[in-house]
Structure formats: C-alpha cells, structure tokens
C-alpha cells in the first residue's frame, strides 16, 4: 500500500429486522351470547366472574385484547399508553374495561326488565355541559356504551364505580364510601318514581340554582 494511502473500510451491511405481525384477537360476541342464554336458563356453568387464578388472568387478558384488537394490530401508540394507564391506576382500569364488566355480568339478572341502559356508569361520566340553549346543566355526558340491558347493570356498574372512585380518588373510608353508594342507588329509584308519577321522562334539568350542594360546587369549578 502506498505511503499516505488510507485503508478502505468495508461498507457495513444493514441487517434486516423481520417485524412479525400482531395477531388480531377474534371477537367472542356470539360465544358469550350463547353462554348468557345458558346461564339465564339455569344451567350449572362457571361464568367468567367466578374464575380464579390463572384462568381469571387469561380471561382478563383475552378480553382486553379483543376489546382493543384493531389498535393492537396497528401497533397504535395510543393503545400502549392506555394499557400503561390501566396497569397503574385501579380506577382507570375500571373505567377502561367496560367489556370486561359485561362479560362478568353474562346471564345475570335475566328476569329483570331491560331498558336502554347508559352502559358505563361512573362518576367521571357525569358533568356540567351546555343544554340545547347553551345554558350550563349537570347530567350524563358519555353515551358510548349505551346498550339494551337489565336496568340493574347500570346500578351495579354505578355502585362499583362510585365505590372505587371514593376510595382511589377521594381517599374515603369504608363507612363514607357506603353512604355514597347508598345515595346513588336511592337517587336512581327516586328518579324512576318521579318519571312513573308524571308518566314522562321530562323533568327540570339540574342547574346552578336548583342543584344539591355537591353539584353546585362543580358549577363553581
């Protein structure tokens, strides 16, 4: 090699990394519809709610994968962020797993009247918003999970939602949490009685001037 001539470094070959596609979870709607009918008919089965140990963990994982199948398949950053939030916050896990709740309720309360249920009752799905005239009112603000179901599903999900929120967000003790849940259930039945007495679901909206003290604070905030 001539003096002063630099030795040529061979070009580095880039390695091809094979990205394996995500396996999209298959929907199990029909399977759970059949299971619901069998449980409601009184067959002696073990519904998902009573699974324990590894069987329960596998049920939870498969339900989450099914509920977020498209975003997982697309390797969405939003899906990764959501799963991180679900793993680190008990109340957020409850809020973000409505499908898991309904799979646990499969076949339950089949003898109860079905209604157009809200589907995802918890404290953060109530809030202050404008009415048709732009005036601020308090009420339900999320209808994404609306479904025909026994009315008790809304009561059960709401009761659990308020219980968890009171503990995780409010740091309240068991006695106070119990009072909050009782107030929620009594409020539901009081409203139903009012609708039945007046034969209509039209009623005065909660506004700043006619709301309970706890709701007036929300208007002020």
């Amino acid at each position: 090699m001539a003096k002063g001539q630099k030795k040529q470094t061979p070009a580095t070959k880039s390695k091809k990394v094979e990205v394996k596609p995500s396996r999209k979870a298959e929907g199990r709607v029909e399977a759970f519809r059949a299971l619901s009918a069998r449980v409601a008919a009184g067959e002696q089965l073990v519904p998902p709610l009573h699974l324990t140990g590894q069987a329960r963990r596998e049920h939870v994982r498969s339900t989450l994968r099914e509920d977020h199948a498209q975003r997982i398949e697309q390797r969405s950053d939003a899906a990764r962020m959501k799963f991180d939030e679900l793993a680190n916050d008990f109340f957020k896990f409850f809020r973000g797993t409505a499908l898991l709740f309904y799979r646990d309720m499969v076949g339950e309360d089949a003898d109860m009247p079905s209604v157009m249920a809200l589907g995802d009752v918890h404290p953060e799905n109530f809030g202050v918003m404008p009415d048709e005239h732009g005036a601020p009112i308090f009420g339900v603000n999320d209808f994404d999970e609306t479904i025909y179901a026994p009315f008790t599903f809304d009561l059960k999900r709401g009761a659990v939602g308020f219980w968890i929120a009171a503990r995780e967000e409010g740091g309240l003790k068991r006695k106070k949490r119990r009072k909050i849940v009782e107030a929620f259930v009594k409020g539901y039945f009081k409203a139903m009685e009012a609708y039945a007495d007046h034969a209509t679901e039209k009623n005065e909206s909660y506004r700043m001037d006619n709301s309970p003290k706890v709701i007036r604070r929300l208007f002020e905030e």
Side-chain angles (χ1 to χ4, degrees):
M1 180 180 294
K3 187 177 181 181
Q5 184 178 357
K6 293 184 178 179
K7 184 177 181 181
Q8 296 293 326
T9 303
T12 303
K13 293 183 179 180
S14 58
K15 295 182 179 180
K16 290 185 178 180
V17 179
E18 182 183 359
V19 178
K20 295 182 179 180
S22 300
R23 181 173 60 85
K24 187 173 182 178
E26 296 181 358
R28 298 181 295 163
V29 175
E30 293 303 325
F32 272 89
R33 181 178 285 120
L35 176 61
S36 178
R38 294 175 66 188
V39 173
E43 287 191 43
Q44 298 300 309
L45 302 168
V46 180
L49 181 62
H50 299 296
L51 295 175
T52 59
Q54 184 63 23
R56 177 65 183 179
R57 287 191 287 272
E58 290 178 0
H59 168 67
V60 171
R61 286 199 295 266
S62 63
T63 302
L64 292 180
R65 286 198 300 270
E66 179 184 350
D67 201 17
H68 301 83
Q70 185 172 358
R71 282 183 284 187
I72 293 174
E73 184 183 36
Q74 295 172 349
R75 298 180 178 272
S76 167
D77 289 338
R80 185 185 301 275
M81 291 173 60
K82 180 173 182 178
F83 286 136
D84 286 342
E85 289 182 352
L86 297 185
N88 295 320
D89 190 301
F90 190 46
F91 183 47
K92 287 183 179 179
F93 180 86
F94 174 79
R95 287 172 48 204
T97 55
L99 180 61
L100 180 63
F101 171 81
Y102 284 110
R103 291 286 167 82
D104 282 346
M105 290 292 100
V106 65
E108 293 285 324
D109 301 338
D111 57 334
M112 293 292 181
S114 288
V115 300
M116 178 60 80
L118 181 62
D120 192 15
V121 183
H122 58 72
E124 291 200 2
N125 275 349
F126 294 83
V128 177
M129 72 212 86
D131 66 6
E132 59 183 332
H133 306 294
I137 61 171
F138 175 85
V140 177
N141 59 15
D142 189 338
F143 299 90
D144 289 348
E145 305 290 343
T146 302
I147 188 174
Y148 280 105
F151 76 93
T152 47
F153 282 18
D154 270 355
L155 283 175
K156 289 179 177 180
R157 184 156 178 82
V160 175
F162 277 94
W163 179 275
I164 295 175
R167 185 184 69 186
E168 301 295 316
E169 304 295 316
L172 302 179
K173 293 184 178 180
R174 184 182 181 88
K175 186 176 181 179
K176 184 65 175 179
R177 298 198 302 267
R178 184 181 180 88
K179 288 184 177 180
I180 290 173
V181 171
E182 287 178 350
F184 162 72
V185 175
K186 289 178 180 178
Y188 180 95
F189 285 112
K190 183 178 179 181
M192 293 302 105
E193 288 175 357
Y195 293 150
D197 289 342
H198 296 93
T200 178
E201 292 186 6
K202 292 183 178 179
N203 66 326
E204 288 190 3
S205 300
Y206 268 148
R207 307 180 306 276
M208 180 66 176
D209 62 313
N210 69 349
S211 297
K213 186 176 181 181
V214 65
I215 296 179
R216 288 202 301 271
R217 290 202 297 266
L218 294 178
F219 278 97
E220 292 168 358
E221 291 174 4

